[in-house]
Coordinates of all heavy atoms in Angstrom, one line a residue:
A734 N -3.3 -11.7 6.2 CA -2.2 -12.7 6.2 C -1.0 -12.2 5.4 O -1.1 -11.1 4.8 CB -2.8 -14.0 5.5
S735 N 0.1 -12.9 5.5 CA 1.2 -12.5 4.7 C 0.8 -12.6 3.2 O -0.1 -13.4 2.8 CB 2.3 -13.6 4.9 OG 3.4 -13.3 4.1
G736 N 1.4 -11.7 2.4 CA 1.0 -11.6 1.0 C 0.9 -13.0 0.2 O -0.1 -13.3 -0.3
P737 N 2.0 -13.8 0.3 CA 1.9 -15.1 -0.5 C 0.9 -16.1 0.1 O 0.5 -17.0 -0.5 CB 3.3 -15.6 -0.3 CG 4.2 -14.5 0.0 CD 3.3 -13.5 0.8
L738 N 0.4 -15.8 1.3 CA -0.5 -16.7 2.0 C -2.0 -16.2 1.9 O -2.8 -16.6 2.7 CB -0.1 -17.0 3.4 CG 1.3 -17.6 3.6 CD1 1.6 -17.7 5.1 CD2 1.3 -19.0 2.9
G739 N -2.2 -15.3 1.0 CA -3.6 -14.8 0.8 C -3.8 -13.3 1.2 O -4.8 -12.8 0.9
G740 N -2.8 -12.7 1.8 CA -2.9 -11.3 2.2 C -3.1 -10.3 1.1 O -3.9 -9.4 1.2
D741 N -2.4 -10.6 -0.1 CA -2.6 -9.7 -1.2 C -4.1 -9.8 -1.7 O -4.7 -8.8 -2.1 CB -1.7 -10.2 -2.4 CG -0.2 -10.0 -2.0 OD1 0.1 -9.2 -1.2 OD2 0.6 -10.8 -2.7
Q742 N -4.7 -11.0 -1.7 CA -6.1 -11.2 -2.1 C -7.0 -10.5 -1.1 O -8.0 -10.0 -1.5 CB -6.4 -12.7 -2.2 CG -5.6 -13.3 -3.4 CD -5.9 -14.8 -3.5 OE1 -6.5 -15.4 -2.7 NE2 -5.4 -15.3 -4.6
Q743 N -6.7 -10.6 0.2 CA -7.5 -9.9 1.2 C -7.5 -8.4 0.9 O -8.5 -7.7 1.0 CB -7.0 -10.2 2.6 CG -7.3 -11.6 3.0 CD -6.7 -11.9 4.4 OE1 -5.5 -12.0 4.6 NE2 -7.6 -12.0 5.4
I744 N -6.3 -7.8 0.6 CA -6.2 -6.4 0.3 C -7.1 -6.1 -0.9 O -7.8 -5.1 -1.0 CB -4.8 -5.9 0.1 CG1 -4.0 -6.1 1.4 CG2 -4.7 -4.5 -0.4 CD1 -4.3 -5.3 2.6
G745 N -7.0 -7.0 -1.9 CA -7.8 -6.8 -3.1 C -9.3 -6.8 -2.8 O -10.1 -6.0 -3.4
G746 N -9.8 -7.6 -1.9 CA -11.2 -7.6 -1.5 C -11.5 -6.3 -0.8 O -12.6 -5.7 -1.1
M747 N -10.6 -5.7 0.0 CA -10.9 -4.5 0.6 C -10.9 -3.3 -0.4 O -11.7 -2.4 -0.3 CB -9.8 -4.2 1.6 CG -9.8 -5.1 2.8 SD -8.3 -5.0 3.8 CE -8.5 -3.4 4.5
L748 N -10.1 -3.5 -1.5 CA -10.1 -2.5 -2.5 C -11.4 -2.5 -3.3 O -12.0 -1.5 -3.5 CB -8.9 -2.9 -3.5 CG -8.5 -1.8 -4.5 CD1 -7.0 -2.0 -4.8 CD2 -9.3 -1.9 -5.7
V749 N -11.9 -3.7 -3.6 CA -13.2 -3.8 -4.3 C -14.4 -3.3 -3.5 O -15.3 -2.7 -4.0 CB -13.5 -5.3 -4.7 CG1 -14.9 -5.5 -5.2 CG2 -12.4 -5.8 -5.7
S750 N -14.3 -3.4 -2.2 CA -15.4 -3.0 -1.3 C -15.3 -1.5 -1.0 O -16.1 -1.0 -0.2 CB -15.5 -3.8 -0.1 OG -14.4 -3.7 0.7
G751 N -14.3 -0.8 -1.5 CA -14.2 0.6 -1.3 C -13.5 1.0 0.0 O -13.5 2.2 0.4
E752 N -12.8 0.1 0.6 CA -12.1 0.4 1.9 C -10.7 0.9 1.7 O -10.1 1.3 2.7 CB -12.1 -0.8 2.8 CG -13.4 -1.4 3.1 CD -13.3 -2.7 3.8 OE1 -12.6 -2.8 4.9 OE2 -13.9 -3.7 3.3
V753 N -10.2 0.9 0.5 CA -8.8 1.3 0.2 C -8.8 2.4 -0.8 O -9.4 2.3 -1.9 CB -8.0 0.0 -0.3 CG1 -6.6 0.4 -0.8 CG2 -8.0 -1.1 0.7
D754 N -8.0 3.5 -0.5 CA -7.9 4.6 -1.5 C -6.6 4.6 -2.2 O -6.5 5.2 -3.3 CB -8.0 5.9 -0.7 CG -9.4 6.1 -0.1 OD1 -10.4 5.8 -0.7 OD2 -9.4 6.6 1.1
A755 N -5.6 3.8 -1.7 CA -4.3 3.8 -2.4 C -3.6 2.5 -2.0 O -3.8 2.0 -0.9 CB -3.4 5.0 -2.0
V756 N -2.8 2.0 -2.9 CA -2.0 0.8 -2.7 C -0.6 1.1 -2.9 O -0.2 1.7 -4.0 CB -2.5 -0.4 -3.7 CG1 -1.5 -1.6 -3.5 CG2 -3.9 -0.8 -3.4
F757 N 0.2 0.9 -2.0 CA 1.7 1.0 -2.1 C 2.3 -0.3 -2.0 O 2.3 -1.0 -0.9 CB 2.2 1.9 -1.0 CG 1.6 3.3 -1.0 CD1 0.5 3.6 -0.2 CD2 2.2 4.3 -1.7 CE1 0.0 4.9 -0.3 CE2 1.7 5.6 -1.7 CZ 0.6 5.9 -1.0
F758 N 2.8 -0.8 -3.1 CA 3.4 -2.2 -3.1 C 4.8 -2.1 -3.7 O 5.0 -2.1 -4.9 CB 2.5 -3.1 -4.0 CG 2.7 -4.5 -3.8 CD1 1.8 -5.3 -3.1 CD2 3.9 -5.2 -4.2 CE1 2.0 -6.6 -2.8 CE2 4.1 -6.5 -3.9 CZ 3.2 -7.2 -3.3
F759 N 5.7 -2.1 -2.8 CA 7.1 -2.1 -3.2 C 7.7 -3.5 -3.4 O 7.4 -4.4 -2.5 CB 8.0 -1.4 -2.1 CG 7.5 0.0 -1.9 CD1 7.3 0.5 -0.6 CD2 7.3 0.9 -2.9 CE1 6.9 1.8 -0.3 CE2 6.9 2.2 -2.7 CZ 6.7 2.6 -1.4
R760 N 8.3 -3.7 -4.5 CA 8.9 -5.1 -4.7 C 10.2 -4.9 -5.4 O 10.5 -3.8 -6.0 CB 8.0 -5.9 -5.5 CG 7.7 -5.4 -6.9 CD 6.7 -6.3 -7.6 NE 6.3 -5.6 -8.9 CZ 7.0 -5.8 -10.0 NH1 8.0 -6.6 -10.1 NH2 6.6 -5.2 -11.1
D761 N 11.1 -5.8 -5.3 CA 12.4 -5.8 -5.9 C 12.2 -6.2 -7.4 O 11.8 -7.4 -7.6 CB 13.3 -6.8 -5.2 CG 14.7 -6.8 -5.8 OD1 14.9 -6.2 -6.9 OD2 15.6 -7.4 -5.2
P762 N 12.4 -5.3 -8.3 CA 12.1 -5.7 -9.7 C 13.1 -6.7 -10.3 O 12.9 -7.2 -11.4 CB 12.3 -4.4 -10.5 CG 13.1 -3.5 -9.6 CD 12.8 -4.0 -8.2
F763 N 14.2 -7.0 -9.5 CA 15.2 -8.0 -10.0 C 15.0 -9.3 -9.4 O 15.9 -10.2 -9.6 CB 16.6 -7.4 -9.7 CG 16.9 -6.1 -10.4 CD1 16.9 -4.9 -9.6 CD2 17.0 -6.0 -11.8 CE1 17.2 -3.7 -10.3 CE2 17.2 -4.8 -12.4 CZ 17.3 -3.6 -11.6
T764 N 14.0 -9.5 -8.6 CA 13.8 -10.8 -7.9 C 12.4 -11.4 -8.3 O 11.4 -10.7 -8.4 CB 13.8 -10.6 -6.4 OG1 15.0 -10.0 -6.0 CG2 13.6 -11.9 -5.6
A765 N 12.4 -12.7 -8.6 CA 11.1 -13.4 -8.9 C 10.3 -13.5 -7.6 O 10.9 -13.6 -6.5 CB 11.4 -14.7 -9.5
H766 N 9.0 -13.4 -7.7 CA 8.1 -13.5 -6.6 C 7.2 -14.7 -6.8 O 6.5 -14.8 -7.9 CB 7.3 -12.2 -6.4 CG 8.1 -11.0 -6.1 ND1 8.4 -10.7 -4.8 CD2 8.8 -10.1 -6.9 CE1 9.2 -9.6 -4.8 NE2 9.4 -9.2 -6.0
A767 N 7.1 -15.5 -5.8 CA 6.2 -16.7 -5.9 C 4.7 -16.3 -6.0 O 3.9 -17.0 -6.6 CB 6.4 -17.5 -4.6
H768 N 4.4 -15.1 -5.6 CA 3.0 -14.7 -5.6 C 2.8 -13.6 -6.7 O 1.9 -12.7 -6.5 CB 2.5 -14.3 -4.3 CG 3.2 -13.2 -3.6 ND1 2.6 -12.0 -3.2 CD2 4.5 -13.1 -3.2 CE1 3.5 -11.2 -2.7 NE2 4.7 -11.8 -2.7
I769 N 3.5 -13.6 -7.8 CA 3.4 -12.6 -8.8 C 2.0 -12.4 -9.4 O 1.5 -11.3 -9.7 CB 4.4 -12.8 -10.0 CG1 4.5 -11.6 -10.9 CG2 4.1 -14.1 -10.8 CD1 5.1 -10.4 -10.2
A770 N 1.2 -13.5 -9.5 CA -0.1 -13.4 -9.9 C -1.0 -12.6 -9.0 O -1.8 -11.8 -9.5 CB -0.7 -14.8 -10.1
D771 N -0.8 -12.7 -7.7 CA -1.5 -11.9 -6.7 C -1.1 -10.4 -6.8 O -2.0 -9.5 -6.7 CB -1.3 -12.4 -5.3 CG -1.7 -13.8 -5.1 OD1 -2.7 -14.2 -5.7 OD2 -1.1 -14.5 -4.2
I772 N 0.2 -10.2 -7.0 CA 0.7 -8.8 -7.2 C 0.0 -8.2 -8.4 O -0.4 -7.0 -8.4 CB 2.2 -8.8 -7.2 CG1 2.8 -9.3 -5.9 CG2 2.7 -7.4 -7.6 CD1 4.3 -9.6 -6.0
E773 N 0.0 -8.9 -9.5 CA -0.6 -8.4 -10.8 C -2.1 -8.2 -10.6 O -2.6 -7.2 -11.2 CB -0.3 -9.3 -11.9 CG 1.2 -9.3 -12.3 CD 1.6 -10.4 -13.3 OE1 0.8 -11.4 -13.5 OE2 2.7 -10.3 -13.9
A774 N -2.7 -9.0 -9.8 CA -4.2 -8.9 -9.6 C -4.4 -7.6 -8.8 O -5.4 -6.8 -9.1 CB -4.7 -10.1 -8.9
L775 N -3.6 -7.2 -7.9 CA -3.8 -6.0 -7.1 C -3.6 -4.8 -8.0 O -4.4 -3.8 -8.0 CB -2.7 -5.9 -6.0 CG -3.1 -6.4 -4.6 CD1 -2.0 -6.2 -3.6 CD2 -4.4 -5.6 -4.1
S776 N -2.6 -4.8 -8.9 CA -2.4 -3.8 -9.8 C -3.6 -3.6 -10.8 O -4.1 -2.5 -11.0 CB -1.1 -4.1 -10.7 OG -0.9 -3.1 -11.7
R777 N -4.1 -4.7 -11.3 CA -5.3 -4.7 -12.2 C -6.5 -4.1 -11.5 O -7.2 -3.3 -12.0 CB -5.5 -6.1 -12.7 CG -6.7 -6.2 -13.6 CD -6.9 -7.6 -14.1 NE -8.3 -7.8 -14.6 CZ -9.4 -7.8 -14.0 NH1 -9.4 -7.8 -12.7 NH2 -10.6 -7.9 -14.6
L778 N -6.7 -4.6 -10.2 CA -7.9 -4.1 -9.5 C -7.8 -2.6 -9.2 O -8.7 -1.8 -9.3 CB -8.1 -4.8 -8.2 CG -8.6 -6.2 -8.3 CD1 -8.6 -6.9 -6.9 CD2 -10.0 -6.2 -8.8
S779 N -6.5 -2.1 -8.9 CA -6.3 -0.7 -8.7 C -6.7 0.1 -10.0 O -7.3 1.2 -9.9 CB -4.9 -0.4 -8.4 OG -4.5 -1.0 -7.1
D780 N -6.4 -0.5 -11.1 CA -6.7 0.2 -12.4 C -8.2 0.2 -12.6 O -8.9 1.2 -13.0 CB -6.1 -0.5 -13.6 CG -4.6 -0.2 -13.7 OD1 -4.1 0.7 -13.0 OD2 -3.9 -1.0 -14.4
C781 N -8.9 -1.0 -12.3 CA -10.3 -1.1 -12.5 C -11.1 -0.2 -11.7 O -12.1 0.4 -12.1 CB -10.8 -2.6 -12.3 SG -10.2 -3.8 -13.5
Y782 N -10.7 0.0 -10.4 CA -11.4 0.8 -9.4 C -10.8 2.2 -9.3 O -11.2 2.9 -8.4 CB -11.5 0.1 -8.1 CG -12.4 -1.1 -8.2 CD1 -12.0 -2.4 -8.5 CD2 -13.8 -1.0 -8.0 CE1 -12.8 -3.5 -8.7 CE2 -14.7 -2.0 -8.1 CZ -14.2 -3.3 -8.4 OH -15.0 -4.3 -8.6
Q783 N -9.9 2.5 -10.1 CA -9.3 3.9 -10.1 C -8.7 4.2 -8.7 O -9.0 5.3 -8.2 CB -10.3 4.9 -10.6 CG -10.7 4.7 -12.0 CD -9.6 4.9 -13.0 OE1 -9.0 6.0 -13.1 NE2 -9.2 3.9 -13.7
V784 N -7.9 3.3 -8.2 CA -7.3 3.5 -6.9 C -5.8 3.8 -7.2 O -5.2 3.2 -8.0 CB -7.4 2.3 -6.0 CG1 -6.6 2.3 -4.8 CG2 -8.9 2.1 -5.6
Y785 N -5.2 4.8 -6.5 CA -3.8 5.1 -6.6 C -3.0 3.8 -6.4 O -3.3 3.0 -5.4 CB -3.3 6.1 -5.7 CG -4.0 7.5 -5.9 CD1 -4.9 8.0 -5.0 CD2 -3.7 8.2 -7.0 CE1 -5.5 9.2 -5.1 CE2 -4.3 9.5 -7.2 CZ -5.2 10.0 -6.3 OH -5.7 11.2 -6.4
Y786 N -2.0 3.5 -7.2 CA -1.1 2.4 -7.1 C 0.3 2.8 -7.3 O 0.6 3.3 -8.4 CB -1.5 1.3 -8.1 CG -0.7 0.0 -8.0 CD1 -1.1 -1.0 -7.1 CD2 0.5 -0.2 -8.7 CE1 -0.4 -2.2 -7.0 CE2 1.2 -1.3 -8.6 CZ 0.8 -2.3 -7.7 OH 1.5 -3.5 -7.6

Side-chain angles (χ1 to χ4, degrees):
S735 176
L738 298 177
D741 298 334
Q742 293 178 353
Q743 288 175 291
I744 298 292
M747 294 167 69
L748 194 152
V749 169
S750 66
E752 299 173 57
V753 173
D754 295 320
V756 174
F757 298 91
F758 197 106
F759 302 128
R760 61 185 175 88
D761 181 350
F763 300 109
T764 303
H766 295 272
H768 60 120
I769 191 66
D771 298 330
I772 297 168
E773 290 171 345
L775 266 180
S776 174
R777 182 182 162 283
L778 286 173
S779 295
D780 289 342
C781 290
Y782 289 90
Q783 297 296 297
V784 170
Y785 296 111
Y786 183 87

